[in-house]
Amino acid sequence: MTDQRRLVRELVGAHGRTFAEEAGITLRDTPQPLYRLLVLALLLSARIRGSIAVATARELSRAGLGGPRRTADADWQERVDALGRGGYRRYDERTATQLGDGAELLLDRWGGDLRRMREEADGDLGELRRLLQEIPGIGPAGADIFLREVQRVWPEVGPYLDRKALDGAERLGLPKDPGRLVELAGDTQPAVLAAALVRAALDKEVAEDSLRRAA
């Protein structure tokens, strides 16, 4: 029988890179990194390969669209072109519209600063999740992705292990109880644990590699 603590340790050691890190986002509790994470969550929530979503998030940043004001001021075609260069062609036109509308809403309602949304939620995780879904293009999956990653800098959100992370736990034969998973992970940050579990859910080879390492 596989030792569960060792399995979690092997999983995190080999696959515990957050999606924000993969997209080149140094996550801080400041407006621009939080906005870039929101955009990444929007991109990752579509039915498209995660690697394409990550590459597209990087391309949007390279194109200068790493903040809500610049994104809102860019014309629609500029956003379409940046999405296309990132490989996000299947959803580029709709997503370009969502990015523009979302940036405008964020600027108008929260001054372009997601920390103000956090303040409005006032510690109510359900309310924060609902507010996130007011952003065009952010549905339940996108809100979960954002919350999974932002718990690294918004500790009151954690431990946040959503359905996709728990699917990864199930694939590995680990308990689907978030509290138990956090206990098994020891000092590992919940955001890192969640990312590793999601990778196991998305990629069977990640799960098999972790099980092999822990055997």
Side-chain angles (χ1 to χ4, degrees), residues 4-204:
Q4 292 184 335
R5 288 185 188 277
R6 182 175 178 182
L7 174 55
V8 172
R9 186 170 64 248
E10 294 294 344
L11 170 71
V12 168
H15 307 287
R17 190 182 188 197
T18 68
F19 290 87
E21 287 172 333
E22 189 178 349
I25 302 169
T26 301
L27 196 57
R28 298 188 181 93
D29 188 23
T30 54
Q32 186 164 319
L34 292 171
Y35 176 73
R36 290 180 64 195
L37 176 60
L38 182 72
V39 170
L40 176 63
L42 185 157
L43 298 172
L44 283 168
S45 64
R47 293 187 177 184
I48 198 163
R49 285 204 311 275
S51 59
I52 293 176
V54 166
T56 302
R58 285 180 172 273
E59 180 56 38
L60 287 168
S61 182
R62 277 194 293 268
L65 304 179
R69 172 55 63 194
R70 182 66 182 84
T71 301
D73 288 346
D75 63 40
W76 179 81
Q77 190 60 53
E78 188 177 350
R79 294 193 295 266
V80 169
D81 290 346
L83 289 162
R85 288 194 300 273
Y88 211 80
R89 296 183 183 86
R90 182 177 175 188
Y91 302 104
D92 55 354
E93 295 186 357
R94 183 184 70 182
T95 304
T97 299
Q98 290 172 336
L99 287 173
D101 291 347
E104 291 282 4
L105 176 63
L106 184 58
L107 288 163
D108 291 345
R109 184 160 173 189
W110 294 289
D113 188 345
L114 282 160
R115 295 176 301 180
R116 296 186 183 181
M117 180 190 287
R118 179 191 188 186
E119 290 171 5
E120 183 176 332
D122 194 25
D124 185 332
L125 182 57
E127 177 64 5
L128 179 57
R129 192 171 185 270
R130 186 193 69 77
L131 289 170
L132 285 165
Q133 291 178 69
E134 292 190 17
I135 302 292
I138 299 289
D144 282 340
I145 293 166
F146 180 87
L147 293 169
R148 245 178 18 224
E149 298 265 325
V150 84
Q151 65 184 319
R152 199 163 202 175
V153 292
W154 291 359
E156 78 279 4
V157 169
Y160 196 89
L161 301 179
D162 66 334
R163 183 180 301 176
K164 184 63 72 175
L166 297 180
D167 286 347
E170 183 175 38
R171 171 172 270 180
L172 288 159
L174 292 167
K176 293 186 70 175
D177 174 68
R180 178 62 180 146
L181 288 167
V182 169
E183 182 185 336
L184 289 170
D187 293 335
T188 299
Q189 293 181 335
V192 173
L193 171 63
L197 289 169
V198 168
R199 293 181 189 281
L202 295 174
D203 188 343
K204 187 178 179 181

